[in-house]
Amino acid sequence: MAFQDAKAVVRAHHASIGQADASTIGAALAAHTSADWHWRGMHPFYEQHGAAAVADSFWQPFLTAMSSVQRREDIFFAGENGPSHAPGVWVVSMGHLMGLLDKPFLCIPATRKLTMLRYAEFNRVKDGKIVETAMFFDLIHMMHQAGLRPLPPQTAQHLIQPGPRTHDGLLNDAQDKAEGQKTLRLIEKMIGDIAANSNSVENAAPRDATPQDELRRCWTDDMCWWGPDGIGATFTIDRYIEQHQRPFRTQNAEREFFGHKARLAEGNYGGFFGWANLSVLPLGGYLGLPAGPRAEMRVVDIYRREGDKLAENWIFIDILHFLKQQGLDVIARIEATAG
């Protein structure tokens, strides 16, 4: 029942947010979070502590800019954390926050049109309160909807990303524990495959002869990789290699992995986030940009398992933070250009 109890807390939290406006959001956030709530957001929001700080930094500006906001949720599940550094039950929600962009938000101009902010949220629940949250969102995707093009053309496809092909991602009811364990083991096997083919592992030769050999261990041939804006979404193993994996692996060097803050699964769904997951040395060409200094990547991955393979993967990367470490503050540049 721990998972179901935690889900109920997060559901109540989302309901409070959904009933709030910019003037009441602070109280709504405080209703289901601890006094020392630790919230992690993407650039330019970063880490905040307590409901008032979270409201001031993100939610008040967002609800001031966006009217008639709806949460369009595609995935919802809970699980016990795998890594030992943050034990406890986490609840994951993923989808879009949809509304009308009636006023500017950060550097994004008002359009008065329907706008979606793609999000993934991890909430750790303890003693009936949310004590820790990681909220990732795709601001570059929101910029594109307003007509901004902050980066060169991406290697894959830009679009509003759908939920699971099977339409079964909202795990409101209790799930078979064995199914969640199977999903988590498969995710961990996939992570091991990446390490086995990484040049950073004791300078060893890759285990698999080709990238296709590596991916077919854990992925269906018709996998969907729903990547963040700036990279884009890809379909099938071959196009994933062409449109994401090969550019990433050949245009970034010296990958260093740091692990995850949370890694969990329930039923056929699982995922993780890191703060940061890894760092790389950009060699030039990645995201259409020149070589830069070493920079860290904060990443969310959410997966759908189909039988004994992974079939879909939704990815969020704090690309704005990744670029800022290399001297490119996208938001500041757009604001300066607009001014």
Side-chain angles (χ1 to χ4, degrees), residues 166-224:
T166 47
H167 302 284
D168 61 355
L170 301 179
L171 306 189
N172 294 313
D173 298 325
Q175 304 293 308
D176 183 346
K177 184 177 180 180
E179 292 300 307
Q181 293 173 338
K182 184 176 180 179
T183 301
L184 189 58
R185 285 196 299 269
L186 181 58
I187 291 170
E188 290 173 344
K189 178 183 176 184
M190 180 271 304
I191 294 170
D193 287 345
I194 294 173
N197 289 281
S198 170
N199 292 334
S200 64
V201 180
E202 299 177 355
N203 295 317
R207 181 195 58 198
D208 297 305
T210 68
Q212 285 84 356
D213 291 336
E214 172 192 336
L215 288 164
R216 288 194 176 104
R217 291 176 178 270
C218 295
W219 294 92
T220 61
D221 285 335
D222 61 347
M223 64 176 285
C224 287

Side-chain angles (χ1 to χ4, degrees), residues 21 74 114:
D21 58 24
D74 295 310
L114 183 152

Side-chain angles (χ1 to χ4, degrees), residues 138-306:
D138 198 335
L139 287 175
I140 298 178
H141 181 235
M142 193 174 181
M143 292 174 187
H144 274 167
Q145 293 170 69
L148 300 175
R149 294 294 181 267
L151 294 174
Q154 57 195 19
T155 52
Q157 180 69 309
H158 159 72
L159 38 69
I160 298 292
Q161 296 190 2
R165 180 186 182 188
T166 47
H167 302 284
D168 61 355
L170 301 179
L171 306 189
N172 294 313
D173 298 325
Q175 304 293 308
D176 183 346
K177 184 177 180 180
E179 292 300 307
Q181 293 173 338
K182 184 176 180 179
T183 301
L184 189 58
R185 285 196 299 269
L186 181 58
I187 291 170
E188 290 173 344
K189 178 183 176 184
M190 180 271 304
I191 294 170
D193 287 345
I194 294 173
N197 289 281
S198 170
N199 292 334
S200 64
V201 180
E202 299 177 355
N203 295 317
R207 181 195 58 198
D208 297 305
T210 68
Q212 285 84 356
D213 291 336
E214 172 192 336
L215 288 164
R216 288 194 176 104
R217 291 176 178 270
C218 295
W219 294 92
T220 61
D221 285 335
D222 61 347
M223 64 176 285
C224 287
W225 192 85
W226 302 107
D229 229 310
I231 301 170
T234 75
F235 175 48
T236 74
I237 283 179
D238 286 342
R239 297 299 169 88
Y240 167 79
I241 293 169
E242 174 189 336
Q243 296 169 359
H244 169 62
Q245 187 192 75
R246 184 176 297 122
F248 179 79
R249 290 189 176 182
T250 60
Q251 296 166 3
N252 294 295
E254 300 179 20
R255 282 176 283 161
E256 181 179 3
F257 294 93
F258 305 132
H260 303 131
K261 289 292 184 184
R263 187 191 302 165
L264 58 139
E266 185 183 25
N268 292 334
Y269 291 86
F272 54 72
F273 83 91
W275 198 264
N277 304 50
L278 74 158
S279 70
V280 298
L281 181 65
L283 299 176
Y286 188 61
L287 302 178
L289 299 172
R294 173 171 287 277
E296 66 181 27
M297 304 188 84
R298 296 169 175 172
V299 184
V300 160
D301 278 74
I302 295 175
Y303 302 90
R304 178 177 70 85
R305 176 177 59 84
E306 192 171 278

Side-chain angles (χ1 to χ4, degrees), residues 25-83:
I25 187 62
L29 293 173
H32 301 285
T33 59
S34 62
D36 60 349
W37 179 32
H38 183 188
W39 185 91
R40 296 179 175 92
M42 299 173 75
H43 175 80
F45 307 104
Y46 294 102
E47 297 183 73
Q48 306 293 332
H49 294 272
V54 177
D56 289 345
S57 65
F58 171 71
W59 280 106
Q60 285 178 351
F62 181 73
L63 293 176
T64 298
M66 293 274 281
S67 62
S68 303
V69 174
Q70 295 181 358
R71 185 181 297 267
R72 311 281 288 197
E73 191 174 51
D74 295 310
I75 292 176
F76 183 76
F77 66 92
E80 184 75 28
N81 194 12

